[in-house]
Structure formats: C-alpha cells, structure tokens
Amino acid sequence: GAAARASRDEFQALFAAGRYAEALPHAQRLVAAAESTAAGVPDVVASLTDLGITQLRLGSFRDAEASYMRALDALGSGEAVFSLRYVAPLAGLAAVYAAEGRHAEAVDFFGQAIAVSRRSLGLFNELQAPLIDSQIASLVSLGRYDEAEAGHRYLVRITTRSFGEND
C-alpha cells in the first residue's frame, strides 16, 4: 500500500544520495515486508536485490552475497531459467565476488547474467554492456587478456548496432 511505497521512496532517495548506512534499515524493512505478505516473488527478489546492493556499497560482502543468494533462491523453480529477474541477483553476486578479488567466480556469474540478458533481450541488447564491461575487468585481473579482448570486440558490435558505424 501507501506505506510500502513511501518506504521504498525513502530507501531510493537515501540510496541515490549515497547515504547507504541510512538506506540499509529501509532496505531491510522492505525485505521483511515483502516476505511477510503475499507480495509475490518479484517484490521479494527486488527487495533482496536492493538490500544486496546496499550491503555491497557498505562493504558488507558476506551479507550482500547472502542477500543475492536469497534472491536467487526466491526465484527458485517458479521462474523460467532465462527470466530477466535473474539478471540483477546474478550481476550482484558477480560484483560482490569482484570486490572481494574472487575474479574467477565473478567472471562466471557475470557470464550467467549476460547469457540471461541475451536470451531474454537479444544478442546485442545494450543492457548487457555494463555486465560485459565488469566481466572484462575481472578477466584482466585474472590475466585472461584474450577473453577480455573478445569482450571489448563484442561491446564494439553492440555499440555499432545501436548507434551505427559513424557515431
């Protein structure tokens, strides 16, 4: 209802302002509210993903990992494996692993998020560009330069298809 919307608005305002410590309790309340009502899987997943990104920004990597895992568990078997709802929790887990220096795991989870994005939105959708960019950073950290270069070439193809050869 209106209270939930107000709480979400407050969370989003604090998060957008970079006030993550103040946003955290709002994110936690949103998760509790979504889980305690018949809000449905999308609201639970969105709330857990918001909580995860807040925890990640605060450097609480273990908590962020747990939130993203809970989001993926909430999706469970109720969603098609290539539902777009998987992208944010997969990318969030990858970001946690990259921040912790666990780049091999980050590459794998960015890869899963990219695969879901491509399956849902097409091979050259622009939404995957930041995922590819982040995956490239982890590949470089691992010294996997050929794969990183392939990622750069793919980004060029996305940009060329989106904006044309001369832009």
Side-chain angles (χ1 to χ4, degrees):
R5 274 191 300 282
S7 187
R8 178 159 293 288
D9 290 347
E10 180 71 10
F11 163 76
Q12 290 173 337
L14 290 166
F15 187 90
R19 295 164 55 188
Y20 308 120
E22 293 171 65
L24 182 63
H26 291 279
Q28 291 166 328
R29 280 194 292 278
L30 288 168
V31 169
E35 288 178 332
S36 69
T37 65
V41 169
D43 287 346
V44 172
V45 172
S47 296
L48 284 165
T49 301
D50 287 344
L51 178 59
I53 188 75
T54 305
Q55 293 163 327
L56 176 61
R57 296 282 170 89
L58 289 169
S60 301
F61 301 132
R62 295 265 186 281
D63 292 337
E65 179 180 17
S67 294
Y68 289 125
M69 288 292 204
R70 284 175 58 202
L72 291 171
D73 287 345
L75 286 166
S77 60
E79 290 284 326
V81 176
F82 288 103
S83 166
L84 274 177
R85 294 188 209 288
Y86 280 93
V87 173
L90 288 168
L93 268 176
V96 168
Y97 296 145
E100 289 183 309
R102 296 163 59 186
H103 293 289
E105 289 166 281
V107 167
D108 290 343
F109 278 93
F110 280 126
Q112 290 178 49
I114 291 164
V116 171
S117 173
R118 288 179 183 168
R119 193 79 173 263
S120 298
L121 300 174
L123 291 175
F124 299 101
N125 76 80
E126 293 175 44
L127 283 175
Q128 68 182 315
L131 301 172
I132 294 170
D133 213 30
S134 296
Q135 186 184 45
I136 289 169
S138 283
L139 286 166
V140 168
S141 293
L142 293 168
R144 292 165 55 182
Y145 302 113
D146 289 345
E147 292 170 81
E149 180 59 32
H152 279 294
R153 285 194 302 274
Y154 205 89
L155 283 175
V156 169
R157 289 178 70 191
I158 291 169
T159 304
T160 301
R161 282 181 171 251
S162 297
F163 301 109
E165 295 275 342
N166 299 320
D167 287 338

